[in-house]
Amino acid sequence: MTIHTAPAVRSAVAHLRDTVCALHAELTRYELVVWTAGNVSARVPGEELMVIKPSGLPYHELTPAAMVVTDLHGRLVDGDRTPSSDTAAHAYVYRHLPDVGGIVHSHSTYATAWSARREPIPCVLTMVADEFGGDIPVGPFALIGDDSIGRGIVETLRGSRSRAVLMGGHGPFTIGRDARDAVKAAVMLEDVARTVHVAHQLGRPPRLEQEHIDSLFHRYQNVYGQQGEPTS
């Protein structure tokens, strides 16, 4: 199928195909996925469209042209490959969380281990407070293939400051202002999941005080970094 629309939209889609393809290399670079698991998607700004990885294609075979475009109900709009099996979940999130511009799903080892335990990652580190604004929550178990996972993500993250959710018995999903921001959250999630796991082997680390969590989150989101540039 082919997009029949304005040149500006075609240009935006072409740019996002390049971006989404490149960001999948970050998943392998940071060892967040194995084989063909995991995916990155990006919302096409101002359109009811998204760009996402095709289903079951090895990472070394991914190219911008291989990325597929669907509408926000998961229907193929442009591309000659079957979209990711998580497409319906991504589409549901985009429909219900309009500020989300990018989504990542990985099976990173430590974050997925917390998902298997159905246990939130407690906010015991400044990095957890900075990036996620508190405990990283657990979402419900849901089968793959329809929008059930998306519903669980939205129900868990709506009203939360966290940009990550540990879907029970499955693995982590992260959201962001754009796809790069969501990938950053996935990388940071695995890092804190590993560190907090190690800390738990030594004892029970205390959760940060809520007032400190709030202060840290505000600083990181609004002050940290170069003025006018995103923290990612």
Side-chain angles (χ1 to χ4, degrees), residues 31-222:
E31 300 182 343
L32 304 184
V33 295
V34 296
W35 203 242
T36 63
N39 41 70
V40 178
S41 74
R43 184 198 296 266
V44 180
E47 302 295 323
E48 297 292 302
L49 299 171
M50 67 178 188
V51 177
I52 193 167
K53 170 180 173 281
S55 178
L57 200 64
Y59 279 76
H60 69 274
E61 295 181 15
L62 294 181
T63 64
M67 300 299 108
V68 295
V69 183
T70 75
D71 66 17
L72 297 190
H73 291 273
R75 294 182 290 251
L76 185 66
V77 173
D78 190 60
D80 55 7
R81 290 179 169 86
T82 302
S84 165
S85 58
D86 289 309
T87 296
H90 288 237
Y92 186 91
V93 174
Y94 287 130
R95 292 201 312 273
H96 292 84
L97 297 178
D99 291 337
V100 172
I103 302 169
V104 172
H105 173 46
S106 81
H107 289 275
S108 58
T109 302
Y110 286 88
T112 301
W114 286 90
S115 299
R117 288 173 54 84
R118 269 73 158 187
E119 184 176 350
I121 299 175
C123 190
V124 298
L125 298 169
T126 58
M127 186 181 289
V128 181
D130 288 344
E131 189 70 30
F132 302 102
D135 299 351
I136 299 167
V138 173
F141 174 77
L143 293 175
I144 302 168
D146 60 17
D147 63 12
S148 298
I149 292 173
R151 291 176 183 273
I153 294 170
V154 170
E155 289 168 4
T156 306
L157 294 184
R158 181 174 276 159
S160 171
R161 296 193 299 202
S162 178
R163 297 192 297 127
V165 55
L166 310 169
M167 294 302 288
H170 186 175
F173 284 77
T174 57
I175 59 175
R177 296 180 301 273
D178 54 28
R180 183 177 183 273
D181 192 38
V183 169
K184 182 211 174 188
V187 173
M188 302 293 276
L189 171 64
E190 179 63 5
D191 186 72
V192 298
R194 178 175 56 248
T195 304
V196 177
H197 168 77
V198 172
H200 273 243
Q201 308 314 298
L202 304 173
R204 197 76 177 178
R207 188 176 187 273
L208 301 183
E209 296 290 337
Q210 188 61 47
E211 64 180 300
H212 295 157
I213 293 171
D214 293 341
S215 176
L216 288 161
F217 182 73
H218 173 78
R219 170 191 165 276
Y220 187 74
Q221 300 298 321
N222 299 291

